[in-house]
């Protein structure tokens, strides 16, 4: 039985890593940022992902995106408008002790192949409240500052955002423009301004 030629083996590994590393490194740097906005034309909230890369038929794996709303929204499931990724609402928590001024809604997708262009927003899904009214202050869940599953009133619910590639690589990075939605160009009959939300929360 021949013994392993370590020098030859080491040289082969170095050559292999030299050729493979650039593609692995490029893959590891891929990420997607999230935001949402009120769409005054269609009367819905739109949730967008912005990639830092360009790719065709890019395989996105299991994904969860969660929404935080002021507590005055109806305590009912949101009406979801799903597109290519097939998002649906899977969980909700209303006014938990850890954040009594907020309601939390989690949406999930099992993934899809998407065409991405670097720094161009991709519409992931849309939603509206059951009464079709726009509320300001709606935003994407913040993994760092919003309550986790172990905090009072969260009932073990994990609302953290996560976007995975089919290789189980985490693509989700940060939220942007996430101070809370504004109901621009919104008729009074379907708008509740942020001032009213703040006053209601302080009662």
């Amino acid at each position: 039985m021949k013994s392993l030629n370590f020098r030859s083996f080491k040289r082969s590994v170095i050559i292999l890593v030299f050729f493979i590393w650039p593609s692995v490194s490029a893959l590891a740097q891929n990420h997607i940022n999230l935001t949402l906005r009120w769409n005054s034309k269609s009367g819905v909230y739109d949730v967008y992902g912005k990639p830092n890369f360009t790719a065709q038929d890019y395989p996105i794996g299991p994904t969860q995106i969660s929404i935080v709303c002021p507590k005055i929204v109806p305590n009912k499931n949101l009406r979801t408008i799903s597109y290519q990724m097939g998002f649906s609402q899977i969980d909700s928590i209303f006014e938990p002790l850890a954040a009594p001024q907020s309601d939390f809604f989690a949406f999930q997708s099992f993934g899809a192949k998407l065409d991405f262009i670097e720094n161009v927003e991709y519409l992931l899904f849309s939603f509206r409240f059951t009464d079709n009214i726009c509320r300001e202050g709606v935003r994407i869940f913040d993994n760092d500052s919003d309550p986790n599953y172990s905090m009072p009133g969260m009932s073990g619910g994990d609302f953290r955002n996560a976007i995975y590639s089919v290789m189980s690589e985490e693509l989700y990075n940060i939220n942007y423009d996430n101070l809370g939605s504004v109901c621009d160009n919104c008729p009074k009959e379907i708008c509740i301004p942020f001032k009213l939300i703040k006053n209601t929360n302080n009662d």
Side-chain angles (χ1 to χ4, degrees), residues 37-162:
R37 289 191 297 273
W38 166 254
N39 186 329
S40 60
K41 293 183 179 179
S42 55
V44 299
Y45 296 88
D46 290 331
V47 178
Y48 294 93
K50 182 191 288 187
N52 71 333
F53 60 94
T54 297
Q56 287 188 329
D57 291 331
Y58 190 89
I60 299 294
T63 296
Q64 176 170 294
I65 298 175
S66 295
I67 307 300
V68 183
C69 302
K71 71 174 186 178
I72 63 168
V73 306
N75 289 353
K76 298 178 181 180
N77 286 343
L78 302 179
R79 293 176 177 172
T80 311
I81 303 170
S82 187
Y83 305 113
Q84 191 170 351
M85 286 192 67
F87 276 95
S88 60
Q89 186 181 325
I90 60 166
D91 200 3
S92 59
I93 294 286
F94 305 112
E95 303 172 39
L97 290 176
Q101 306 302 322
S102 300
D103 292 341
F104 299 85
F105 302 85
F107 296 82
Q108 188 179 74
S109 164
F110 291 105
K113 291 183 178 181
L114 304 178
D115 294 335
F116 287 124
I117 299 175
E118 182 179 358
N119 292 325
V120 174
E121 293 180 331
Y122 189 98
L123 180 58
L124 298 172
F125 67 95
S126 304
F127 65 90
R128 58 164 57 98
F129 300 112
T130 53
D131 58 8
N132 296 320
I133 291 177
C134 175
R135 275 93 174 175
E136 298 192 337
V138 179
R139 60 178 176 84
I140 303 288
F141 185 91
D142 189 314
N143 286 7
D144 294 325
S145 61
D146 282 318
N148 63 42
Y149 66 92
S150 65
M151 296 183 73
M154 296 304 289
S155 303
D158 189 350
F159 287 81
R160 290 175 296 176
N161 301 310

